[in-house]
Structures are given as C-alpha cells and as structure tokens.
C-alpha cells in the first residue's frame, strides 16, 4: 500500500491511499469467448474501462500492471479507494478485490485443496471462477464472533445484498459491516436449562470462546496477510469464500441447547442465508425427530439452504460414532494436510526424539538447557503427585528457573501446564503423552514445548536419572509438503450410520488438523488459571475445522450455480472427491491402515472438480419426506418436520432406492437390485460405467451407458448386487461405481454388509 501526503509547517496531510487490486469482469463482459478479441484488443478494452474512471487512458496504462487475456477476463492495477468504488459500480465489473495473495507460505489448507499454488491463484482455481464466493451469504451457528477480527474487514466490499433481512445485535460493542452482515445471540434455552436468570454479560453475540470466530473465518474470512499463531504457520489467512457475506448466530454457552439452535435456524432462514455451517452436535447420533439440528436443518433445506455439519470427534470410541447423520445434511469428517509442526527434543547424549508443538522457534538450536523432572522441582508445600502433573503452584521457581521441565500429561489441560512452567521461570517443557496408544494434540503453549510419545517420554526420564547434569534443547519449525496427506484424524467420528445404516455417513472428509484461523482476543479460562494472551489467530483441530472448509466451498458452488439445489451441491462435492493421498496410495487412518468409506465417506474434498461435476444425484423435499415415511415415522413425528399433513406413498419406498450419491446395503441376503437417477448439469455427453467390485460381491449395472442430450435431463440406472456363493465373511466390503464421459468422473462408493447365514 502507498500513502501519498504533503507537508505544511508542522502538519502532515494524507490525501490518498493506493493499493493493488484485481478487477474481474466475468466471462460475458465482452463476448462468450473473450479470447476471440485478441490479447491486444482485450488489453485496450481494459485501458478504456479504467481510463473512463481515471479520466485518462494514459493513467490507466500506468496503473494496470497485469492484463489477463487468456482464461481470465480482467486486470490488476494500483487504485485509490474512490477509484475502486467507481469500478465496483460499473455494470461490466463483476468484482474488485485487494491483491493480497502474495505470500510464498499460506495457511496451507486451501493450497492443499488446490485453490492456490505457491501462494498464487492459478487460472483454473474455483476461487476465480466463483469470484471468491462474492455475495453468497454464509451463516454459522456457534459460539459467536469476534467482530474486530481482520478476517471480517469490509474494505472494498460493495453494498449488502438487498435480499438480506437480518440484523446485528450491538450489545457489548458488537458492530457489523458489509462483510459481517449479521450477529445475533440465542440464550433462552441455556437460561431455561440453568433454571435461573442469566446476568447481562450473556446478552451478547461476541465470542469469548474462540470456536465460532475460528469456524466462521474458515468458511468465509477475507485475505489477511501476516497471519500466524505464536510464530507458527506464518502466511495469509483466508476462508473458503473470501468475498462471501457472513452472519454469526451464537447458540453455544457452556453448552449448545436445542431450543437455542432451533431459534437460530428459524432466524437464519428468515434472514436469507444461502449456506449454514454447523460445527456442533451430540457425542453420538440420536433419532431425527428428537434432534434439534436434524429438525432445523430440514427446514433450512426445504428453503433451499445447504446445511453442512461436522461428523463429531468421537472416533476414539470406535465405529458408528458419527452424530450428524440426517440424509439432508452434508456431514464432514476430518483429515490432515501436508503440513506439520515438528518440535524435536535433542538430549545431551545427542539422541533426538521426535515431537510436535507450536511456539518453539525461539529456543536456540545451539544452546543446551538443564532439564528437570517436575517431581524433583516440587514446591515445599506441594505433593509429588501435583508436581508431577505441573499443577498450578506445585513447582518451586528456584528449581525451575532457566530449565526445561519434563512433565507427563493428565489431570489439567496441557496449555495450563506450560503456563505453570512459565510462571515458575522455566524456559521450555517436554510433555509426555499419558497413554501409549493415544497421542495428544499440539496447542498454544506458553513456553517452547515438545509433545512426545509415552515411550519416548520414558526414554527422556531414563536419561534424566542416569546423567549427572542432564541437558536438552527443543528444535521446532513449520514444514510444508514433506508429509503424506491426507491421513484420517484419530478423533474423527466414523460410520456406519447408527440411525439409518442405508445412508453412508460421513459424506466427505476435509482438512481438520492444525487449522489456522481467526480467534477471540478475550481471556480464556483453562481450569484454574486464565490465558490472557490476545490471540488474533489460533491453530485448532477437529471436525469443527473441517466442516467450514466444506461450507466455504459450498459457498463458491452456490455463487457459480445459484439454481442448484442443496442436494445438487452436496452431490457435486461428494462425487468428485478423491480416495488417494499425495503419495498416490489409498488414504490411511491414524494407525496407518487403509481407511474406508466409514472413515471418509466419498473421499477427500476436491473443490476444482466439484465446480463441474458433469452429473448429480438430486433430491427434493418430497424425497426427504418419503424417506421419513420409509423409516416408519407416524403422523405426529412427521408433523415435526412439515406443518401440513403429509400423505405417505401407499407402499413405502425402499431406502436402498433413496437417490443418495453413495450406495450402501447394510445387510445383503441373497441378491438385491436398487436404482439411482442422474441429472445432467454439464454439457451433452455419453457416460459409461466402471465398477470396482467389493470383495465377495457380484455387481451388475444396467444400462452400462447413459447418453445425455440436454441440460437437466435425467436418466435412471439399476445396480444388482449378489454375494458370491459360499461367501462367509460377515464384515463390510467396499467398492465403487464411476460414470465417465472422458472428462467427468462421477464416483459413488459402494458399501455392502453381508449376512452369511442367509447366503
């Protein structure tokens, strides 16, 4: 940015601010095929357009430093604020956005998803095609929003879309703008659960937890250069739809109550959101008619709003743990990206032990520090048990000052342990996992920290007690592109679907491990201590983080295809997913075993493919109502989802024939035939089918080819499944079915559970 000013006596007068912008004109501002004008004529037309605003074609030539004339129709130029406003109001201009994509290292997940490359945005990126999600409205039900975050800055954005009917509740200094167009809170359900009136501090849409700010900015935050978390993951933060308008609905306090969730759904539908992002849910699935998110999301989908939900973080409990399993929502699992934060321990005997952490770069690699076991540094009035876990006030500053403290996990949050070490004067902490079969997650520690395995922790403890003067140092960094990804997160909840096993859940996986995004600057209570660091950004893991990645991409698809139904957007995301890693091997789970559709659904999100899926599996409100009929809902239960009485079909439709983008037969006995219907949303073409048969299953598809002659044309096909004779394996088997025209690959996973006693 350049600031022009002049000096007069003792005063400095700022007269204008100049910043670089990208001006995008869209495919049809000149002709349906811009390149037919020729590069020179295209460039001249850009000079004419900008010159009409600057009142000088020569000034326009000086201002424009890139002319995009091949695949992108637009230019990049240095402009003043009033010139940006003038350009934005021109009918041929689709969008004007700041040129902030200039970092070599970004917050990584969007580059991993293919939206950018080496800090630059390639011509085939969905970001450009979808105008960065311009004017789509993404709502977020969560813990609120920190409105002052740079991720919600509205500089350069045009007027709020006239269809928006929402508003901003301004208690507690909350202010909205042209980016953050709504901020509301819902706490009456929370108050009722407490059984006493809430004090006025709860009447705010402001986020004091951080979770809501993180998820909302991941879905729709703007470009923010120089973002980092305590020096880690330095780069440019941004959301999936950086030019979207966003709205926050605060429904979570000490918990997230169904009454508040339903009130927020009702408000969001009335306000006019296009996408709803829901990073919350139960620990395990419950019936749809008893579940606020299932009920509220049904109403949203009826009104054309796609609802994206997190799968849950109960993966450690085993299979069948996904909580948001309704077929009308898009359910997202969590997996890694190709970034890691190594923070290794080097002992005085030159043995190096691998660990992870953030905030480790400020410990010199060349200087060793004394290392002490926390038990041996206990305060006089503390027990050995408390000191072992680095409990508040359990360490003696005289024994800790200037040293690295070895501390096992457990009892209190790991971040709080690091604060205890810092308060006692420690310079670092080695934190050993509590259990050999489980690993902890890196967090924002107060001192340089290495989080090591339980086994390596024992090695370090052995070194401490076998050495007269034990020393160590911690070496940390941020590394991109050096690890195989995606790998399924150990915490990510899994299938099968415990409510309706004929519907595969989760639907998709997306980045959800070590995600950098905006955060609250409010003090945060740990257990006994308070974290008062004002964090503009934070790195968090969870399906809560993967969910808004998909919400952001859904926003881009809604911008590109405003006429698509929620089911069509969902299908495009699912059928274009991939099931291989960067090593071109099948996606693995956290134990390095091959993952299955119960882990990742249809696969890993591929945004650039989703914008042109070729074919989609579409569904309507009637299809969802018939689904409820098929699972046996009576008139009372149906009335929860639809106000008017609904007449179910005389004969219930088989759940196997529900037009879902994935195919699941949970209890195959003998053979079964099911149907699916595809809709053409691309160019005319002839599609042929390829089948990857599940082990022990015979698969036949009829017909084997489908010819589409026009847009929105629908074709139906049948899939026949039969267990091979003498097949006695009772576990689930996995395969796939792909329709291809040579350009588009429309893929569906096939999941079959065999009942061997009936075969």
């Amino acid at each position: 940015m350049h600031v022009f000013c002049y000096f007069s006596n003792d005063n400095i007068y700022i007269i204008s601010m100049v910043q670089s912008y990208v001006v995008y004109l869209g495919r049809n501002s000149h002709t349906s095929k811009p390149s037919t004008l020729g590069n020179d004529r295209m460039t001249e037309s850009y000079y004419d357009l900008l010159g009409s605003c600057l009142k000088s074609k020569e000034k326009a030539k000086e201002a424009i430093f890139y002319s995009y004339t091949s695949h992108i129709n637009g230019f990049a130029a240095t402009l003043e604020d009033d010139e940006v406003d003038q350009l934005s109001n021109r009918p041929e201009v689709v969008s004007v956005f700041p040129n902030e994509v200039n970092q070599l290292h970004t917050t990584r997940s969007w580059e991993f998803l293919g939206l950018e490359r080496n800090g630059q945005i390639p011509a085939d990126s969905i970001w450009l095609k979808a105008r960065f999600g311009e004017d789509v409205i993404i709502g977020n039900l969560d813990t609120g929003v920190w409105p002052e975050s740079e991720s919600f800055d509205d500089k350069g954005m045009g007027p709020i879309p006239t269809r928006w009917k929402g508003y901003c509740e301004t208690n507690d200094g909350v202010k909205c703008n042209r980016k953050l167009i709504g901020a509301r809170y819902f706490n009456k359900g929370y108050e009722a659960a407490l059984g006493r009136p809430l004090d006025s501090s709860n009447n705010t849409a402001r986020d004091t937890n951080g979770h809501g700010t993180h998820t909302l900015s991941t879905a729709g935050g703007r470009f923010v250069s120089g973002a980092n978390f305590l020096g880690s993951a330095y780069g440019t933060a941004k959301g999936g739809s950086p030019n979207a308008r966003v709205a926050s609905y605060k429904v979570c306090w000490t918990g997230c109550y169904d009454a508040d969730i339903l009130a927020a759904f009702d408000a969001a539908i009335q306000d006019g959101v296009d996408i709803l992002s829901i990073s919350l849910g139960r620990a395990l699935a419950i019936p749809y008619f008893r579940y606020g998110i299932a009920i509220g999301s049904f109403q949203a989908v009826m009104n054309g709003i796609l609802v994206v939900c997190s799968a849950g973080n109960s993966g450690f409990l085993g299979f069948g743990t996904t909580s948001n399993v309704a077929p009308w929502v898009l359910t997202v699992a969590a997996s890694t990206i190709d970034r890691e934060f190594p923070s290794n321990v080097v002992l005085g005997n030159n043995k190096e032990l691998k660990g992870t952490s953030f905030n480790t770069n400020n410990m010199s690699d060349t200087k060793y520090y004394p290392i002490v076991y926390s038990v041996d540094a206990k305060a006089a009035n503390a027990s050995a048990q408390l000191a072992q876990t680095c409990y508040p006030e359990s360490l003696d500053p005289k024994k800790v000052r200037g040293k690295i403290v070895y501390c096992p996990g457990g009892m209190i949050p790991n971040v709080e342990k690091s604060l205890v070490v810092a308060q006692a004067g420690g310079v670092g902490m080695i934190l050993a996992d509590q259990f050999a079969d489980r690993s902890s997650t890196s967090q924002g520690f107060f001192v340089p920290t290495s989080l090591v395995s339980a086994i390596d922790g024992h090695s370090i403890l052995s070194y401490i007690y076998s050495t007269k003067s034990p020393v160590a140092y911690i070496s940390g960094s941020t590394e991109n592109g050096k690890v195989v990804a995606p790998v399924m997160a150990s915490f990510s909840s899994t299938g099968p679907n415990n409510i309706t096993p004929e519907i595969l859940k989760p639907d998709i996986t997306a980045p959800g491990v070590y995600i950098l995004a905006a955060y609250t600057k409010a003090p945060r209570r740990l257990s006994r201590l308070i974290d008062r660091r004002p964090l503009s950004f934070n790195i968090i893991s969870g399906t809560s983080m993967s969910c808004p990645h998909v919400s952001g991409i859904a926003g881009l698809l809604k911008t590109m295809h405003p006429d698509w139904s929620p089911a069509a957007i969902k299908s495009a995301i699912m059928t274009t997913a991939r099931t291989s890693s960067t090593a071109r091997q099948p996606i693995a789970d956290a134990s390095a075993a091959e993952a299955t559709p119960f882990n990742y659904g249809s696969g890993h999100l591929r945004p650039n493919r989703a914008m042109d899926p070729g074919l989609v599996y579409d569904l309507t409100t009637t299809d969802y109502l018939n689904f409820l009929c098929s699972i046996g809902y009576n008139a009372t239960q149906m009335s929860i989802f639809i106000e008017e009485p609904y007449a179910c079909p005389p004969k219930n439709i088989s759940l196997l024939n529900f037009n879902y983008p994935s195919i699941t037969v949970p209890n195959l006995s003998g053979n079964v035939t099911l149907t699916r219907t595809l809709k053409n949303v691309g160019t005319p073409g002839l599609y042929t089918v390829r089948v990857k048969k599940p082990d022990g299953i015979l698969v036949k598809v009829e017909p084997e080819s489908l010819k589409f002659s026009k847009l929105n044309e629908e074709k139906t096909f049948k899939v026949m499944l039969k267990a091979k004779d003498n097949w006695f394996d009772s576990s689930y088997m996995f395969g796939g079915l792909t329709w291809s025209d040579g350009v588009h690959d429309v893929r569906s996973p096939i999941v079959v559970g065999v009942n061997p006693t009936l075969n």
Side-chain angles (χ1 to χ4, degrees):
M1 178 184 293
H2 307 287
V3 180
F4 295 121
C5 53
Y6 69 91
F7 300 85
S8 175
N9 297 327
D10 296 326
N11 297 319
I12 301 175
Y13 298 90
I14 299 177
I15 60 174
S16 64
M17 300 181 69
V18 175
Q19 187 173 347
S20 58
Y21 293 85
V22 175
V23 181
Y24 185 59
L25 304 179
R27 294 291 296 177
N28 297 316
S29 58
H30 296 293
T31 176
S32 62
K33 295 182 179 180
S35 61
T36 61
L37 278 176
N39 291 351
D40 292 342
R41 288 183 60 194
M42 288 286 290
T43 300
E44 284 296 317
S45 71
Y46 300 153
Y47 294 155
D48 291 338
L49 172 61
L50 184 56
S52 66
C53 295
L54 304 183
K55 311 302 181 187
S56 168
K57 190 172 182 178
E58 292 305 313
K59 288 184 178 179
K61 290 182 178 180
E62 293 176 4
I64 293 176
F65 58 89
Y66 272 130
S67 292
Y68 307 119
T69 57
S70 297
H71 301 284
I72 306 169
N73 184 10
F75 57 88
T78 53
L79 303 170
E80 296 181 15
D81 289 346
D82 60 336
E83 295 163 356
V84 172
D85 293 338
Q86 288 184 56
L87 272 174
S88 299
N89 292 327
R90 295 293 294 265
E92 61 266 61
V93 174
V94 173
S95 63
V96 182
F97 49 89
N99 176 38
E100 294 181 322
V101 190
N102 54 9
Q103 301 293 322
L104 293 175
H105 298 286
T106 69
T107 54
R108 195 62 186 177
S109 58
W110 301 113
E111 179 162 351
F112 182 69
L113 290 172
L115 276 67
E116 56 187 338
R117 193 174 301 130
N118 296 324
Q120 303 298 314
I121 302 173
D124 60 353
S125 172
I126 189 175
W127 266 344
L128 293 178
K129 306 286 186 180
R131 308 187 304 280
F132 295 84
E134 183 177 71
D135 286 346
V136 71
I137 301 172
I138 300 176
N140 192 46
L141 273 61
D142 214 295
T143 63
V145 63
W146 191 261
E148 295 82 7
S149 169
E150 288 183 80
S151 293
F152 308 122
D153 182 73
D154 69 349
K155 186 175 182 180
M157 299 193 76
I160 295 171
T162 56
R163 70 181 189 281
W164 175 246
K165 307 301 180 186
Y167 58 92
C168 193
E169 294 182 307
T170 58
N171 306 25
D172 199 19
V174 172
K175 293 181 180 180
C176 292
N177 55 28
R178 291 173 297 178
K179 174 65 177 180
L180 177 64
I181 61 175
R184 302 175 64 176
Y185 64 90
F186 302 85
N187 60 13
K188 292 181 180 179
Y190 171 47
E191 184 176 63
L194 283 180
R196 57 176 173 78
L198 297 172
D199 61 53
S200 59
S201 66
N202 289 284
N203 296 329
T204 177
R206 183 175 292 279
D207 181 14
T208 57
N209 176 284
H211 191 274
T213 301
H214 196 282
T215 54
L216 185 58
S217 64
T218 299
R222 302 204 76 188
F223 287 88
V224 181
S225 59
N228 69 91
F229 175 56
L230 304 173
S232 292
Y234 187 91
T236 299
K238 79 282 288 183
S241 288
N243 280 359
R245 315 299 174 129
V246 296
S248 171
Y249 299 86
K250 185 174 181 178
V251 298
C252 295
W253 309 87
T254 56
C256 316
Y257 291 90
D258 275 349
D260 296 328
I261 290 169
L262 283 169
F265 267 113
D266 196 40
I269 295 167
Q270 180 66 30
D271 290 348
V273 303
D274 299 307
I275 308 291
L276 274 172
S277 192
I278 316 290
S279 289
L280 52 98
R282 302 293 179 93
L284 298 172
I286 61 172
Y288 308 125
F289 69 90
R290 291 173 42 207
Y291 190 29
I293 291 177
I295 297 165
S297 59
F298 191 96
Q299 304 306 313
V301 171
M302 281 182 63
N303 285 273
I305 301 166
L306 175 65
V307 181
V308 186
C309 294
S310 52
N313 299 331
S314 300
F316 61 92
L317 293 176
F319 288 102
T321 51
T322 296
S323 63
N324 289 309
V325 296
W328 48 85
V329 303
L330 178 50
T331 308
V332 189
S335 45
T336 64
I337 60 175
D338 60 344
R339 176 177 65 189
E340 61 180 352
F341 300 92
S343 182
N344 299 338
V345 177
V346 182
L347 303 176
N349 59 8
N350 291 322
K351 185 175 183 179
E352 184 171 358
L353 300 166
K354 292 184 177 181
T356 62
S357 182
F358 314 128
N359 190 29
T360 60
N361 297 329
N362 56 348
M363 180 172 281
S364 171
D365 284 0
T366 59
K367 181 178 179 180
Y368 283 92
Y369 295 86
I371 180 172
V372 61
Y373 182 26
S374 56
V375 173
D376 298 327
K378 78 177 189 70
N381 59 347
S383 68
Q385 182 182 11
L386 291 180
Q388 183 185 40
T389 58
C390 294
Y391 199 78
E393 300 180 357
S394 68
L395 301 181
D396 185 346
K398 294 180 181 179
K399 300 175 182 177
V400 170
R401 189 171 292 113
K403 297 178 181 178
I404 297 172
V405 178
Y406 172 86
C407 184
M411 189 174 285
I412 63 172
N414 291 339
V415 170
E416 192 159 12
K417 296 175 187 286
S418 70
L419 179 54
V420 171
V421 171
Q423 290 176 337
V427 297
M429 179 176 72
I430 298 171
L431 186 62
D433 272 327
Q434 194 173 9
F435 304 105
D437 60 347
R438 192 178 301 177
S439 59
S440 301
T441 303
S442 296
Q443 296 169 287
F445 299 113
F446 282 81
V447 293
T449 297
S450 180
L451 186 57
V452 300
S453 68
I455 294 173
D456 286 344
H458 286 301
S459 296
I460 293 170
L461 201 57
S462 176
Y463 165 74
I464 291 173
Y465 282 124
S466 64
T467 307
K468 183 177 181 181
S469 300
V471 294
Y473 70 77
I474 297 171
S475 174
S477 63
T478 300
E479 293 183 352
N480 294 322
K482 294 186 177 182
V483 291
V484 173
V487 173
M488 297 308 302
S490 60
F491 55 76
S492 186
S493 291
T494 62
N497 183 335
N498 274 337
I499 304 300
T500 41
E502 295 85 358
I503 305 298
L504 176 64
K505 289 289 178 172
D507 293 308
I508 196 82
T509 189
V513 178
Y514 297 151
I515 303 301
L516 177 76
Y519 208 61
T520 179
K521 289 189 176 182
R524 295 161 300 284
R525 175 165 291 280
L526 301 172
S527 63
R528 293 176 58 86
L529 303 177
I530 296 176
D531 184 350
R532 300 187 183 278
R533 294 173 294 181
L535 299 175
S536 297
F537 295 89
N538 199 354
I539 295 176
I540 313 179
S541 299
T543 57
S544 285
M545 285 64 252
S546 57
C547 170
H549 276 85
V550 176
S551 303
I553 298 306
L556 299 177
L557 294 176
K558 185 69 175 179
T559 301
M560 291 188 69
H561 306 286
D563 58 327
W564 280 9
S565 68
I569 295 174
K570 177 178 175 178
S571 175
I573 289 172
M574 292 173 63
T575 60
T576 57
R578 64 185 171 98
T579 58
S580 59
S581 69
T582 52
R584 298 184 179 180
Q585 297 295 318
I587 294 174
D589 65 18
S591 68
E594 184 173 337
T596 75
F598 284 155
N599 300 107
Y600 53 63
S602 293
H604 191 272
L605 177 66
R606 280 202 294 188
N608 292 331
R609 294 288 184 94
M611 64 179 165
D612 180 23
L615 309 173
V616 296
Y617 295 90
D618 211 353
L619 288 161
T620 65
T621 299
T622 299
D623 293 317
Y624 293 125
L625 290 171
N626 288 340
F627 167 86
L628 295 176
C629 294
S630 294
I631 62 175
Y633 275 21
N634 58 34
T636 301
Q637 292 167 328
M638 293 290 290
S639 68
I640 295 172
F641 296 90
I642 188 167
E643 189 172 339
E644 299 295 327
Y646 183 74
C648 290
K651 183 179 180 182
N652 281 339
I653 299 169
S654 169
L655 290 179
L656 299 180
N657 293 328
F658 187 68
N659 203 41
Y660 212 66
S662 55
I663 296 172
T664 304
V665 180
N667 191 20
L668 178 63
S669 57
N671 61 78
V672 67
T673 298
L674 54 89
T675 63
R676 289 290 187 274
T677 299
L678 284 162
K679 176 189 284 189
N680 181 32
V681 294
T683 55
L686 178 66
Y687 286 79
T688 56
V689 70
R690 302 192 306 267
V691 176
K692 180 182 178 183
K693 298 177 182 179
D695 289 345
I697 307 297
L698 299 174
V699 182
K700 185 178 181 180
V701 179
E702 291 184 351
E704 295 182 347
S705 64
L706 298 171
K707 185 176 181 179
F708 294 89
S709 303
K710 57 185 179 180
L711 190 66
N712 294 325
E713 183 179 8
E714 294 186 339
K715 298 279 187 178
T716 297
F717 64 93
K718 296 180 179 180
V719 181
M720 287 155 278
L721 302 167
K722 183 181 185 298
K724 292 180 180 178
D725 293 338
N726 302 317
W727 184 261
F728 295 106
D729 193 330
S730 60
S731 62
Y732 276 93
M733 301 298 166
F734 307 97
L737 179 154
T738 303
W739 290 96
S740 178
D741 65 350
V743 176
H744 308 93
D745 289 320
V746 186
R747 183 186 173 278
S748 296
I750 297 176
V751 179
V752 182
V754 179
N755 188 337
T757 62
L758 300 178
N759 288 297

